[in-house]
Amino acid sequence: MKEVIHRSGIVPIELHRKRIDQVAAALWPEFSRGKLQEWIKSGALLVDGQTAKAKQSVEVDAVLSLDAELEPVVHWEAQSIPLDIVYEDEDVIVVNKPVGLVVHPAAGNWDGTLVNALLAHDSSLEQLPRAGIVHRLDKDTSGLMVVAKTLQAHTALVDALQSREVSRHYVAIAHGAMTGGGVVDAPIGRHPTMRQKMAVVATGKPARTHYSLGQRFKHFTELHLKLETGRTHQIRVHMAHKKHPLVGDAIYGGRARVPGNSSSELVQSIRDFPRQALHARALAFFHPESDEWVSFEAPMPIDMQQLLETLERHDAP
């Protein structure tokens, strides 16, 4: 079902002779700049009742009017899939994504995703880009994600991510006995020959990952990580780049490496760990409506807890 939108506003003195798309974005921050530009081009957004161009400047006291239909952005099926909702209000949902759940439909996973589950939980999310999804976790990474429930919240959260105002903390278990924390500052882009993978490449986008040490073992390390940027597979690529790939990461870590003198229980635990040992443990951001700083945490999943317990028994320093 289409949502009919009616808005009007008067250009204030501080926006005098600014471009119409800039003025519209200031008057109606719930809509993205791109969507407003579309409406200007289509004639749905007028200045003093007249059509305008996106780069046209407007005078103080001019009247902007908007009459448009907001098309459903997604057309995916709602499916009854259990959700671990940590927090929800009228503007956002914070969900603890389980291992194995793909975030949104794509080739090879057209249903059974987080988006399908969200649409069953709240059908109004169909009106939003990607059903309100503003950032992703890999299929086999567990943990916290924030989902927008309104256009205004979606725009605010996307802007906050781009301006690095969303705090994301992860916990991981990596190969190798690391001796100290630090920062990995290395650009990430598509692998030059294996296009399904990412890699540290000179032509990639800037990427920074902060890390510190948790529990330390003879041959493995628990890591606490904070993302400064949000590139695809960033933590996995950066830790592999440092020669400390995550346990269970077959794509970036290759075949599981276990010291030859390890116990059979440790060997089996490492070799059989079914996914990258990575969990999005904490998430914090300025709430898009109240502007209050809100924070959430999700406990480490059982499989990673059990792996740490095995390391405590069989790989203690």
Side-chain angles (χ1 to χ4, degrees):
M1 182 177 178
K2 296 178 181 179
E3 179 183 356
V4 180
I5 297 168
H6 302 287
R7 299 282 194 280
S8 65
I10 299 175
V11 178
I13 184 65
E14 61 269 21
L15 296 177
H16 177 54
R17 292 191 175 176
K18 294 288 186 180
R19 287 182 355 203
I20 180 176
D21 58 335
Q22 295 174 325
V23 175
L27 292 175
W28 307 311
E30 65 268 31
F31 304 121
S32 69
R33 186 73 63 86
K35 178 57 70 175
L36 291 168
Q37 289 172 345
E38 287 180 20
W39 286 330
I40 294 168
K41 290 178 183 178
S42 69
L45 200 166
L46 305 175
V47 179
D48 291 331
Q50 304 295 317
T51 58
K53 296 181 179 179
K55 295 184 178 181
Q56 176 179 322
S57 61
V58 291
E59 304 289 327
V60 65
D61 291 334
V63 177
L64 271 60
S65 58
L66 172 64
D67 289 280
E69 289 185 341
L70 191 62
E71 297 278 354
V73 179
V74 297
H75 305 279
W76 298 311
E77 179 184 356
Q79 294 178 313
S80 181
I81 300 170
L83 285 173
D84 180 5
I85 295 177
V86 176
Y87 174 82
E88 181 175 12
D89 60 24
E90 294 181 353
D91 303 285
V92 299
I93 303 172
V94 177
V95 61
N96 183 18
K97 188 189 83 67
V99 173
L101 185 64
V102 174
V103 170
H104 60 76
N109 294 99
W110 290 115
D111 57 10
T113 71
L114 177 60
V115 163
N116 300 112
L118 288 168
L119 292 175
H121 176 72
D122 185 345
S123 61
S124 69
L125 294 175
E126 186 182 26
Q127 302 291 339
L128 302 181
R130 297 185 182 276
I133 298 291
V134 296
H135 63 119
R136 305 181 191 180
L137 291 177
D138 297 335
K139 174 184 177 182
D140 290 328
T141 297
S142 56
L144 295 174
M145 295 178 59
V146 60
V147 179
K149 293 180 67 176
T150 68
L151 274 173
Q152 185 170 359
H154 188 273
T155 300
L157 288 170
V158 169
D159 289 346
L161 280 163
Q162 292 176 345
S163 58
R164 302 179 184 179
E165 294 178 348
V166 176
S167 176
R168 291 169 288 173
H169 290 260
Y170 294 73
V171 60
I173 303 170
H175 285 275
M178 301 180 69
T179 58
V183 180
V184 183
D185 188 348
I188 292 177
R190 286 288 170 190
H191 192 284
T193 58
M194 293 175 280
R195 304 302 293 173
Q196 298 301 313
K197 294 177 61 173
M198 308 302 289
V200 170
V201 292
T203 57
K205 295 181 179 179
R208 285 173 60 89
T209 303
H210 300 256
Y211 65 95
S212 59
L213 307 188
Q215 293 189 73
R216 298 168 63 185
F217 306 97
K218 285 183 181 179
H219 305 100
F220 301 89
T221 305
E222 177 193 8
L223 293 174
H224 299 162
L225 307 109
K226 180 180 179 180
L227 290 182
E228 188 172 321
T229 53
R231 308 305 175 202
T232 301
H233 300 172
Q234 179 171 319
I235 289 174
R236 299 164 63 190
V237 172
H238 272 173
M239 299 321 298
H241 178 67
K242 283 192 63 67
K243 310 302 181 186
H244 292 286
L246 304 189
V247 170
D249 193 345
I251 294 176
Y252 297 104
R255 187 175 179 180
R257 299 169 294 151
V258 186
N261 59 348
S262 300
S263 69
S264 58
E265 182 180 351
L266 179 58
V267 171
Q268 183 175 358
S269 294
I270 297 300
R271 288 183 176 172
D272 292 349
F273 200 77
R275 52 112 175 184
Q276 62 266 10
L278 180 61
H279 174 65
R281 179 182 61 181
L283 178 69
F285 52 90
F286 289 104
H287 191 281
E289 179 61 29
S290 68
D291 204 33
E292 294 180 2
W293 185 251
V294 293
S295 59
F296 308 92
E297 290 194 13
M300 186 184 295
I302 292 175
D303 61 351
M304 289 180 63
Q305 291 181 31
Q306 292 175 336
L307 179 57
L308 285 176
E309 291 169 1
T310 300
L311 292 172
E312 289 169 357
R313 291 193 302 269
H314 298 279
D315 200 47

